[in-house]
Amino acid sequence: MRLRVEFTTEPFDLDEAPAHAVVAREVIQAADLDAVDVGPFGNTAEGRADEVLGAVDSLLRQALDSGATRVSLQVNVVGEDSQ
């Protein structure tokens, strides 16, 4: 199964990316995922279910440990793995 995750962390800071946002993006960019897109107001990534779910676990733990007061995320099934 392939999944897509979309997420944001809060609180926002328009002048400088807060530590929790930087950490969350680093987790997603370091994971073995496809089609990673990071932006100032939202981030998306897609990949195999195990990799996405593992990245989401790390993302939640590390963002909250780094000062996030809210993490909004959505996970969608986008297809099956091709093998």
Side-chain angles (χ1 to χ4, degrees), residues 10-21:
E10 296 179 42
F12 292 115
D13 183 341
L14 296 177
D15 295 326
E16 183 177 332
H20 58 80

Side-chain angles (χ1 to χ4, degrees), residues 8-10 19-21 23-24 56-72:
T8 59
T9 62
E10 296 179 42
H20 58 80
V23 165
V56 166
D57 178 62
S58 292
L59 160 75
L60 291 171
R61 292 174 189 278
Q62 292 185 43
L64 293 170
D65 285 346
S66 296
T69 58
R70 178 180 179 144
V71 179
S72 301

Side-chain angles (χ1 to χ4, degrees), residues 18-68:
H20 58 80
V22 172
V23 165
R25 290 177 188 154
E26 288 173 349
V27 167
I28 290 299
Q29 290 174 323
D32 186 19
L33 301 174
D34 306 321
V36 174
D37 183 27
V38 297
F41 299 109
N43 308 281
T44 61
E46 186 175 309
R48 291 181 295 154
D50 287 343
E51 282 76 15
V52 170
L53 295 174
V56 166
D57 178 62
S58 292
L59 160 75
L60 291 171
R61 292 174 189 278
Q62 292 185 43
L64 293 170
D65 285 346
S66 296

